[in-house]
Amino acid sequence: MTDFFDELDSAYVEELNTKPFHSIKDKKDKEILGWLNKVYQSLDKQSVSRFTTYKSNLASYRGVNRNKPHMPRDSEKPYMNKIGKFVVNHLYDMTETKISQMCRIKPAVDILPTNDEHSDKNAAIAVKHLINHLWYLYNMDSLLQKMQRNARIFGESYVFIEWDADKGDLHPLYVKARDTGTNLMLLDDEGNPEMGDDGKPVILNKDIPVKIGDIKYEVEVPWRVFLQRKRKFEEVEYCFRVKLEAIEDLKKEYPHLKEKLKSEKNVKFFNTEDLTETLLEEEVVVIEFFHKST
């Protein structure tokens, strides 16, 4: 994918002087933040034309005519039998038909026992049932359809796998605290106390349920994902993700930064529902940075 980015030859030069992340990752927070701001602003600037094309493609898929209405030439003849233009959105039908064809057959996952022993055969059957349960639990059919839809409309599709601490079964230590009626300290796998954002051990309150956590999948539109500029897609080492978060949720998650978190009043964000720019209300733009292990 040598032409993965538009105008790559001219855009790539701008970031050649940027230091790699590993050269500054052990520096002070201020220097790391400066590097992140510089790289993000550079990627944002280089992606304006490409992101405009994405939004135009989405409008065409929705059947929205974003061009100015045609203005007829001046004429003395009255328009007695003028008929409005009737548009049939074939792009939507073609896209959804192709998505249905691609998602009709599920990805082939076959669990085979390593030998003919009865225990291995039963283990393979149990794992197969587990995979089918996870497929239903995470609604993978809908996830694959969203991925295919983004790929057909934008040419790119991204899914983020994140950890959700509020999912899963109840934590065993919380169940013990609830049953015994006493507060207990949360321990990690090695038996050491879990430390919270405030630097203090996490105490399980018997009156507040605590889950063990589980992963979650989030499909993201491509204009909110900024990849490192590389000649080949497999050489990309990091990316930025832009999303919205409620200001009160962030204050709860980061209590030590409560005073620094403020709502952004004059910031516009593209709404994919009605394809318009809307002002944020009680929300802030959060930019996440991801880097793979190297």
Side-chain angles (χ1 to χ4, degrees), residues 65 67-73 79 82 85:
N65 184 9
N67 299 324
K68 295 182 179 179
H70 175 67
M71 301 299 293
R73 297 180 179 179
Y79 293 90
K82 184 178 179 180
K85 182 185 295 186

Side-chain angles (χ1 to χ4, degrees), residues 83-95:
I83 301 176
K85 182 185 295 186
F86 182 79
V87 179
V88 179
N89 186 14
H90 292 292
L91 283 176
Y92 177 86
D93 295 334
M94 294 170 60
T95 303

Side-chain angles (χ1 to χ4, degrees), residues 12-43:
Y12 186 75
V13 178
E14 184 176 344
E15 207 184 341
L16 288 179
N17 296 327
T18 303
K19 297 180 181 179
F21 180 72
H22 66 78
S23 65
I24 56 95
K25 68 181 182 67
D26 296 326
K27 300 295 181 63
K28 296 181 179 180
D29 292 344
K30 184 177 181 181
E31 188 171 350
I32 296 177
L33 182 61
W35 183 91
L36 292 172
N37 286 332
K38 178 182 177 182
V39 175
Y40 171 75
Q41 291 172 4
S42 175
L43 295 177

